[in-house]
Structures are given as C-alpha cells and as structure tokens.
Amino acid sequence: MSGDFPQAESVNADIVYNMKALAVVYAGNISPYALKPLQGGPSALHRAVSAASSFPGTVKTVIFADSTESFSGSSGLPAGIETVRADTWTPRAFFAALTLLAKGFDHLYLVHGDEPYLDTAFASKIAEHHIRYAAEYSFADGYPLGLAPQILASGLVPVLERLASDDKEAMTRDFLFETIKKDINSFDIETEISPVDHRQLRLVLACDSKRNYERTAAFYGITAENCAALLTERSDALYGLPAFYALQVAGKCPFECPYCPYPAFCRSGEGLSPGVSATARQDFMPVDRFAYVMDRIAEYSEDAVVSLSLQGEVSFHPDVPALFRAALRHPGLTVLVETTGIGWTDETLSGIAEAVRSASPRIGDRSPVEWIVSLDSVSAACYSRLKGLGGMQETGVAERLFNEAQGFISRAESLFAGHVWPQTVRMKDNEEELEPFYRHWNGKLGRVIVQKHDHFCGSIQERRVADLSPLVRHPCWHLKRDMSILMDGTVPLCKEDLYALNRVGNAFTDSLAAIRDRLRPRYGRQCSGDYEGLCSACDEYYTYNF
C-alpha cells in the first residue's frame, strides 16, 4: 500500500513527527463507490485510512461510521483501527464523540473515507505550518477537494461541539469549516493556498457518487504538487456524467416577456415550434414518456437535478404531481421547478407535497424539490411592463397576476419551507427595482436569486446591466454537466440552441450515453480554446445551475 501514496518529506521532521496526533476518518453514510476497487487497486476507503494513518505524528486512527455500515471487504486496513458508530451523525454528535476521543492528543487530522488521493507529503507541510504558527485550525485552499486533511488543535473540539448546537444539521463535506465559520474571528487559522486556484473547477476527488468515482479514477496519481499540470493535461476528463437535466414538459406560457426568446420562437413556426403564440400552446410531454426518461437518467447518472422548466410554464401540465412521482421514485433524483407562479391550483400543490412526503430519502440528504419563482419586480407597474401585459394594467389584470405570483410564493413556502427562491433577472429594464426586490424578499424569506440576463447567443436584444464574464474564457459549464431535452425527446446542443439546429440525439430513442458521447468532442475542442458556432457568441458558459 505504501507505494500508492507520496511519502512525507523530511522537512522539519522534528516539528511534525514529535506531535501526538489523532487521525479521524469520517465515513458516515459512505457511498458504495468508496468501497469499490479503484483503478484495479484498493478502494477509496482503504487508501484514505492508510494515508491518514501515515500522517506525521499520528499515533491512533479512528473511523466514524454508521451503525449499519459493515465496511465489507475491509481486510487489509492497518491494524489497530478503532471504529465509532452511530445511527445518524450530525456535526453536534460528531464533535461530542470527538471531544472524548481527543483527550491526550495535541492535534487531530480530519479526512473523509471516500478520498483516495490524500497526499501525505502535503499533509506534512500543512502540519508543519499548523504547529509553527500555533494555529487552531489549518486547511488547504484553492486545491481540488480530497488531497489534504484539515487539522485541528484538540482543545478546539469542545468549542465546536457548543457551536454545533443544532441537532438537525446535516454532515456535509465541509461541515467542519461551516461550524468554525459561525465564529470564525475567534480562531487562529492557517491556510495553505494553492499557487494555481482550482476552485472554479468544483472538482471533488472523492468516490461519493458514480460521477465522482469515474472522474476521480481519471486523475489517478494526482498530488498537491502535480495537480496543476495534471488538470491541464487531462482537462477533457472533467467532462463526465450529466448532473443537471432540463426538460420541457409544457409548451404554454402565461406571458410573452420582451426579455425572453420563447414567444418569438413559438410564433416563428420554425424548428420544433407549432407556430402559435406561447400563450395559446396546449402541448405537453406525456407522463409515460417523462417517466421513461427519468428511468434512463437514474440508470445513467444515478444522481442528478431534474428541471421541469426548460421552456414553457410547468403549471400548465395536466398532471404535475405525476411528474414528481416519476422523478422522486429514484432516490438519486431531485426536482427543480422554475415558475412564473401563475396557474397553480391548491390541488396540484397538495399533490406535489404528497409526492415529496412519500419519496424515499434523497442520496446525500438533498431536498427532493427546489422552487424558483420568477417575479423580476416589486411593483405591479414594472411587472406589467416586463411580462408584456401592456394595456392590461388599466383593466387590473396585471395587478391580479402580480398578486397571484407573490401569493404563490407564500403558498409554496408553507408547503416546502426553506426551498422557495424569489428570483429577479437583473436588466436595464428593472435595475431601479433590484435593491428594493432584494431587501423585500431577503427580509421576508432570507433567500433571493439575482439572475443575469441571457441574450441567447445574440438572438434577442441584450439587456445586461454589466458584462460579468471572466477575463479568460474557459470550457462551458453547461456543456460539461447539463443535458437539455425538448418535449418530443430531441436533445439540442444546449438550452441556448433554441431551434435545435445542433441536435445530438433523442432521449426517447437513443441511449443517454450515446448522446453524451456525441458532445464530448466539442468539449475537447473548447479545452483547446476552440469555441465554434453557437458557442462563440454565448454568455452563459460561466453560469452554474443547482
């Protein structure tokens, strides 16, 4: 096993090896992928435990696991490993157990049991700085997650137990930092900063899902020292299984907004459009077709966010609860609805709430559903203008619809508390309402989304207030992690491909793997700086979905 890990350097060995450290491997709710052989060798769990046990100064290693986790195939772990179990771990329960274990130790290393590439040489460097500068908490920043441990002074653990006072908090991958952040100015913190900032890649080198297992395997041999070169050399390996699927389930929309291309697309009669107005359309994706696609997504990606709002208003589908049931019967799928807030009946919302209550727990404890409500304004007058209602303001129709949309937020929040997000698209047309919108909804719900305007590769008038694009272009996030599926199953290049002029397959007849493979060469060309065709005029490549 020792050949699989970079060995600690002898730099300031007296400092790091003379400390008495406890290595903590968190493996609660560990994924089966962490127990699978990786690249024909030991599993991620075996590698993580072996690396943690080799960190400088470590005299004891403890695994935190669920009561139901047997660690099948755990033979070969270093001798003397202690396992602490609980039915459910929360940060508070974790720190309470760790407070007892930490007695007699100077410092603690914390790693996750699904991280196979923990770099012992890098751990030595962080540990040396941690001790030299008398830090209470040390971590690496700017590197891909999964290369380095976090280090704690043992005396900090009881303090963190008090900070983690909520028994319902989830054990996210960054639970330690999230706890420290509650009173961050009270602690002495040391950060090991990467010479090249890789945070924008959102790369997690952990075997916690099918997607990350495959991606992690592709970066075998990565270390803190070579990661910049390796990530450049193998940049196409960042293209993996889709994590976000956007489906068009209903064609009708209650508005013809001037800042949206959908009304003109419907009227044009081109491509997949029926050639009627958005408000007159009545077409929708049949439930059985939708369910078939959900089965394929669950089989292919295993976990993903499924958006029902590619084009059209979801509320006009004749059986929205059935869509939720079809998606949520798969524990890896969660549902996102972006809506105008118009057209929702109490019966439909109750049916959705029941589907959510009946759903099995999501993988990773994610919420089964998130709602985004597109309001764009805090006044009926601005709302009328942005939604293309024109003279309807005088008849009271605009104000009625505005009130309905705002009322929907309250209704949805009562059923899906904490998962409803009021949204405004920031444009020249409503810039004066941005601050009042934020103050109003942040004060009321504590959640607001401010979205940039999308001109769909120049197909409609640009209304951006400012150009937020990066100084140096990078490969498209949506090409890397999204898949768009239109009502008839057609898969266009992406959501920007309004008329599906770059079709790559059909989700009703082609395998998702085959469709995905057809897009891989384009991503490879983008890695080389070639942004061809539609992509050359795109301003959405740097935006990121749920």
Side-chain angles (χ1 to χ4, degrees):
M1 292 287 294
S2 61
D4 290 331
F5 306 103
Q7 297 302 301
E9 299 173 354
S10 59
V11 176
N12 294 301
D14 289 342
I15 294 178
V16 295
Y17 281 97
N18 288 336
M19 73 176 183
K20 186 179 181 182
L22 173 69
V24 179
V25 181
Y26 180 73
N29 196 29
I30 197 166
S31 167
Y33 286 101
L35 308 179
K36 293 180 60 175
L38 183 67
Q39 288 284 28
S43 68
L45 174 66
H46 282 64
R47 295 171 188 266
V49 173
S50 295
S53 300
S54 301
F55 290 159
T58 297
V59 296
K60 183 178 181 179
T61 302
V62 177
I63 300 175
F64 278 68
D66 292 340
S67 297
T68 56
E69 181 52 64
S70 62
F71 291 114
S72 56
S74 61
S75 60
L77 288 177
I81 303 297
E82 180 180 334
T83 302
V84 179
R85 298 182 183 274
D87 291 337
T88 302
W89 286 109
T90 63
R92 184 179 183 182
F94 174 85
F95 290 122
L98 194 57
T99 296
L100 300 176
L101 290 169
K103 293 178 179 178
F105 293 94
D106 302 320
H107 304 279
L108 293 80
Y109 296 101
L110 174 64
V111 302
H112 290 263
D114 52 13
E115 299 171 342
Y117 300 150
L118 293 164
D119 185 338
T120 55
F122 193 36
S124 296
K125 182 179 180 181
I126 298 172
E128 184 221 324
H129 291 171
H130 177 80
I131 296 171
R132 176 184 293 178
Y133 300 115
E136 294 176 292
Y137 171 58
S138 296
F139 68 102
D141 194 22
Y143 293 89
L145 293 180
L147 290 177
Q150 299 175 83
I151 306 178
L152 282 173
S154 60
L156 191 60
V157 180
V159 178
L160 298 181
E161 181 185 353
R162 292 192 292 271
L163 284 177
S165 57
D166 187 352
D167 283 328
K168 296 181 180 179
E169 285 183 311
M171 292 291 284
T172 59
R173 188 167 294 276
D174 59 351
F175 75 90
L176 175 55
F177 182 75
E178 287 299 312
T179 304
I180 288 175
K181 197 168 69 174
K182 294 179 180 179
D183 194 16
I184 197 166
N185 292 326
S186 297
F187 307 116
D188 293 319
I189 298 175
E190 185 67 23
T191 306
E192 197 67 37
I193 300 176
S194 172
V196 178
D197 191 352
H198 300 293
R199 288 175 298 178
Q200 78 280 4
L201 298 178
R202 295 179 170 89
L203 178 59
V204 180
L205 295 170
C207 298
D208 58 351
S209 66
K210 180 180 179 181
R211 181 181 306 102
N212 280 344
Y213 176 83
E214 293 181 357
R215 185 175 292 145
T216 297
F219 287 101
Y220 188 79
I222 193 171
T223 66
E225 184 176 357
N226 71 13
C227 69
L230 206 62
L231 288 171
T232 300
E233 177 187 330
R234 305 179 190 174
S235 58
D236 61 338
L238 295 171
Y239 180 89
L241 297 172
F244 185 87
Y245 291 83
L247 281 78
Q248 180 190 33
V249 298
K252 184 175 181 178
C253 183
F255 303 119
E256 298 207 354
C257 306
Y259 65 87
C260 173
Y262 191 56
F265 163 77
C266 292
R267 288 192 299 269
S268 70
E270 297 180 29
L272 304 176
S273 167
V276 296
S277 69
T279 55
R281 288 182 64 164
Q282 299 295 331
D283 46 336
F284 58 88
M285 182 182 288
V287 172
D288 61 339
R289 290 285 196 176
F290 178 85
Y292 174 81
V293 175
M294 294 303 101
D295 293 344
R296 300 290 74 76
I297 291 173
E299 179 183 16
Y300 180 51
S301 289
E302 292 191 0
D303 69 315
V305 175
V306 175
S307 169
L308 309 183
S309 311
L310 177 58
Q311 297 170 3
E313 170 54 64
V314 186
S315 66
F316 293 119
H317 191 282
D319 197 350
V320 182
L323 302 180
F324 272 80
R325 290 192 295 270
L328 296 182
R329 68 185 179 188
H330 302 289
L333 303 186
T334 61
V335 178
L336 169 67
V337 177
E338 185 170 356
T339 175
T340 62
I342 303 300
W344 294 93
T345 66
D346 290 339
E347 180 182 6
T348 295
L349 287 175
S350 296
I352 294 170
E354 179 56 34
V356 170
R357 284 192 296 269
S358 302
S360 59
R362 302 294 89 188
I363 292 176
D365 296 323
R366 293 187 298 185
S367 167
V369 61
E370 298 287 347
W371 298 84
I372 297 176
V373 186
S374 299
L375 279 178
D376 303 320
S377 59
V378 289
S379 69
C382 183
Y383 183 82
S384 174
R385 186 172 68 253
L386 292 177
K387 301 303 181 183
L389 298 176
M392 293 184 183
Q393 185 175 352
E394 296 180 0
T395 64
V397 172
E399 186 170 358
R400 177 181 62 78
L401 292 173
F402 181 56
N403 291 336
E404 180 181 345
Q406 292 187 104
F408 172 79
I409 293 178
S410 299
R411 294 159 67 201
E413 179 69 14
S414 68
L415 293 170
F416 311 99
H419 300 285
V420 182
W421 302 76
Q423 174 177 278
T424 181
V425 176
R426 185 186 181 191
M427 300 172 283
K428 298 174 183 177
D429 311 64
N430 64 349
E431 177 68 2
E432 73 281 357
E433 295 212 350
L434 177 61
E435 184 176 351
F437 184 95
Y438 181 86
R439 289 182 179 277
H440 175 80
W441 289 108
N442 190 57
K444 194 166 186 177
L445 295 181
R447 299 181 302 279
V448 177
I449 293 177
V450 178
Q451 180 72 276
K452 65 172 284 294
H453 179 250
D454 181 6
H455 55 65
F456 283 81
C457 304
S459 65
I460 58 174
Q461 178 185 346
E462 181 180 310
R463 298 171 184 265
R464 295 178 305 175
V465 176
D467 183 357
L468 303 176
S469 57
L471 294 176
V472 178
R473 183 156 183 171
H474 57 73
C476 178
W477 270 110
H478 303 288
L479 187 60
K480 182 191 298 187
R481 69 185 302 275
D482 298 1
M483 183 179 290
S484 299
I485 302 173
L486 298 175
M487 203 177 306
D488 68 346
T490 294
V491 179
L493 172 64
C494 65
K495 68 182 181 68
E496 302 293 294
D497 188 7
L498 287 169
Y499 299 99
L501 300 179
N502 302 272
R503 304 183 189 192
V504 291
N506 189 292
F508 297 158
T509 58
D510 300 332
S511 74
L512 297 183
I515 293 171
R516 191 69 174 156
D517 285 343
R518 290 170 193 147
L519 285 170
R520 181 180 289 275
R522 182 180 285 258
Y523 183 81
R525 289 192 292 273
Q526 289 201 0
C527 290
S528 301
D530 181 5
Y531 302 98
E532 59 187 332
L534 193 69
C535 301
S536 64
C538 182
D539 183 49
E540 286 289 300
Y541 67 91
Y542 58 91
T543 63
Y544 190 90
N545 291 315
F546 277 82

Short mmCIF file of all heavy atoms in Angstrom, two decimals, residues 12 68 71 76 114 136 140 165 183-184 201 229 247 261 266 268 396 399 408 412 512 518:
data_model
loop_
_atom_site.label_atom_id
_atom_site.label_comp_id
_atom_site.label_asym_id
_atom_site.label_seq_id
_atom_site.Cartn_x
_atom_site.Cartn_y
_atom_site.Cartn_z
N ASN A 12 11.70 19.65 8.49
CA ASN A 12 11.28 19.93 9.86
C ASN A 12 10.61 18.72 10.49
O ASN A 12 9.55 18.85 11.12
CB ASN A 12 10.35 21.14 9.90
CG ASN A 12 11.05 22.42 9.50
OD1 ASN A 12 12.03 22.82 10.12
ND2 ASN A 12 10.57 23.04 8.44
N THR A 68 -25.08 0.88 10.56
CA THR A 68 -25.42 -0.15 9.58
C THR A 68 -24.27 -0.47 8.65
O THR A 68 -24.35 -1.40 7.86
CB THR A 68 -26.62 0.29 8.73
OG1 THR A 68 -26.31 1.54 8.12
CG2 THR A 68 -27.85 0.45 9.60
N PHE A 71 -18.49 -2.07 6.41
CA PHE A 71 -17.20 -1.96 5.73
C PHE A 71 -16.81 -3.30 5.12
O PHE A 71 -15.76 -3.86 5.40
CB PHE A 71 -16.10 -1.49 6.69
CG PHE A 71 -16.28 -0.07 7.11
CD1 PHE A 71 -16.54 0.25 8.42
CD2 PHE A 71 -16.19 0.95 6.18
CE1 PHE A 71 -16.72 1.56 8.81
CE2 PHE A 71 -16.36 2.27 6.56
CZ PHE A 71 -16.63 2.57 7.88
N GLY A 76 -7.24 -5.78 5.27
CA GLY A 76 -6.12 -5.04 4.70
C GLY A 76 -5.96 -3.66 5.29
O GLY A 76 -4.94 -3.00 5.05
N ASP A 114 -13.90 8.58 1.69
CA ASP A 114 -14.06 8.33 0.25
C ASP A 114 -13.02 9.09 -0.57
O ASP A 114 -13.14 9.21 -1.77
CB ASP A 114 -15.47 8.70 -0.20
CG ASP A 114 -15.89 10.11 0.21
OD1 ASP A 114 -15.01 10.90 0.63
OD2 ASP A 114 -17.09 10.43 0.13
N GLU A 136 -5.00 27.03 15.37
CA GLU A 136 -6.02 26.15 15.94
C GLU A 136 -6.71 25.32 14.85
O GLU A 136 -7.22 24.23 15.13
CB GLU A 136 -7.07 26.98 16.69
CG GLU A 136 -6.53 27.68 17.92
CD GLU A 136 -7.56 28.57 18.56
OE1 GLU A 136 -7.93 29.59 17.94
OE2 GLU A 136 -8.01 28.25 19.68
N ALA A 140 -6.22 23.47 3.41
CA ALA A 140 -5.72 23.86 2.10
C ALA A 140 -6.82 24.54 1.31
O ALA A 140 -7.98 24.11 1.37
CB ALA A 140 -5.21 22.63 1.34
N SER A 165 -24.84 23.52 17.65
CA SER A 165 -25.93 23.32 18.62
C SER A 165 -27.19 22.72 18.02
O SER A 165 -28.07 22.26 18.73
CB SER A 165 -26.27 24.65 19.27
OG SER A 165 -26.63 25.61 18.29
N ASP A 183 -18.21 31.34 14.13
CA ASP A 183 -17.50 32.29 14.99
C ASP A 183 -16.04 32.38 14.52
O ASP A 183 -15.12 32.26 15.32
CB ASP A 183 -17.57 31.82 16.45
CG ASP A 183 -17.16 32.91 17.43
OD1 ASP A 183 -17.10 34.09 17.02
OD2 ASP A 183 -16.86 32.58 18.59
N ILE A 184 -15.89 32.58 13.23
CA ILE A 184 -14.57 32.41 12.60
C ILE A 184 -13.52 33.37 13.12
O ILE A 184 -12.33 33.05 13.16
CB ILE A 184 -14.72 32.52 11.06
CG1 ILE A 184 -13.48 31.95 10.36
CG2 ILE A 184 -15.00 33.96 10.63
CD1 ILE A 184 -13.66 31.71 8.89
N LEU A 201 -13.15 24.92 -10.74
CA LEU A 201 -13.43 23.61 -11.33
C LEU A 201 -14.45 22.82 -10.51
O LEU A 201 -15.03 21.86 -11.00
CB LEU A 201 -12.14 22.80 -11.46
CG LEU A 201 -11.06 23.36 -12.37
CD1 LEU A 201 -9.84 22.46 -12.35
CD2 LEU A 201 -11.59 23.50 -13.80
N ALA A 229 -0.48 20.75 -13.34
CA ALA A 229 -0.07 20.18 -14.63
C ALA A 229 -1.01 19.06 -15.05
O ALA A 229 -1.38 18.96 -16.23
CB ALA A 229 1.37 19.66 -14.54
N LEU A 247 -35.75 19.64 -18.73
CA LEU A 247 -36.77 19.08 -19.62
C LEU A 247 -37.86 20.10 -19.90
O LEU A 247 -38.27 20.87 -19.01
CB LEU A 247 -37.40 17.83 -19.00
CG LEU A 247 -36.60 16.53 -19.12
CD1 LEU A 247 -35.47 16.47 -18.10
CD2 LEU A 247 -37.52 15.33 -18.94
N PRO A 261 -36.74 34.84 -25.30
CA PRO A 261 -36.88 34.48 -26.72
C PRO A 261 -38.03 33.52 -27.00
O PRO A 261 -38.37 33.30 -28.17
CB PRO A 261 -35.54 33.80 -27.02
CG PRO A 261 -35.18 33.15 -25.73
CD PRO A 261 -35.64 34.11 -24.65
N CYS A 266 -41.99 30.59 -30.49
CA CYS A 266 -43.29 29.94 -30.72
C CYS A 266 -43.98 30.49 -31.97
O CYS A 266 -44.55 29.73 -32.75
CB CYS A 266 -44.19 30.14 -29.50
SG CYS A 266 -43.65 29.27 -28.03
N SER A 268 -42.65 31.79 -34.58
CA SER A 268 -41.89 31.67 -35.82
C SER A 268 -42.32 30.50 -36.67
O SER A 268 -42.21 30.52 -37.89
CB SER A 268 -40.40 31.54 -35.50
OG SER A 268 -40.13 30.28 -34.90
N GLY A 396 -56.68 46.05 -14.59
CA GLY A 396 -56.45 45.35 -13.33
C GLY A 396 -55.90 43.96 -13.50
O GLY A 396 -55.60 43.29 -12.51
N GLU A 399 -52.19 43.68 -12.23
CA GLU A 399 -52.08 43.67 -10.76
C GLU A 399 -52.57 42.35 -10.19
O GLU A 399 -52.00 41.82 -9.23
CB GLU A 399 -52.87 44.83 -10.18
CG GLU A 399 -52.68 44.98 -8.67
CD GLU A 399 -53.25 46.26 -8.13
OE1 GLU A 399 -53.77 47.07 -8.94
OE2 GLU A 399 -53.19 46.47 -6.91
N PHE A 408 -48.28 33.00 -4.67
CA PHE A 408 -47.78 31.64 -4.86
C PHE A 408 -46.55 31.38 -4.00
O PHE A 408 -46.37 30.28 -3.47
CB PHE A 408 -47.43 31.41 -6.33
CG PHE A 408 -46.73 30.10 -6.57
CD1 PHE A 408 -47.45 28.91 -6.62
CD2 PHE A 408 -45.35 30.04 -6.69
CE1 PHE A 408 -46.80 27.70 -6.80
CE2 PHE A 408 -44.70 28.84 -6.87
CZ PHE A 408 -45.42 27.67 -6.93
N ALA A 412 -46.33 28.25 -1.60
CA ALA A 412 -45.29 27.25 -1.77
C ALA A 412 -44.41 27.16 -0.52
O ALA A 412 -44.03 26.07 -0.09
CB ALA A 412 -44.45 27.57 -3.00
N LEU A 512 -28.69 7.61 -23.38
CA LEU A 512 -28.12 8.86 -22.91
C LEU A 512 -26.59 8.84 -23.04
O LEU A 512 -25.97 9.87 -23.29
CB LEU A 512 -28.52 9.12 -21.46
CG LEU A 512 -30.03 9.29 -21.21
CD1 LEU A 512 -30.29 9.62 -19.74
CD2 LEU A 512 -30.63 10.36 -22.11
N ARG A 518 -21.59 12.04 -28.13
CA ARG A 518 -21.58 12.88 -29.33
C ARG A 518 -21.16 14.32 -29.00
O ARG A 518 -20.72 15.06 -29.89
CB ARG A 518 -22.95 12.87 -29.98
CG ARG A 518 -23.31 11.54 -30.63
CD ARG A 518 -24.75 11.47 -31.04
NE ARG A 518 -25.14 10.09 -31.36
CZ ARG A 518 -26.35 9.59 -31.15
NH1 ARG A 518 -27.32 10.36 -30.66
NH2 ARG A 518 -26.61 8.34 -31.45
#
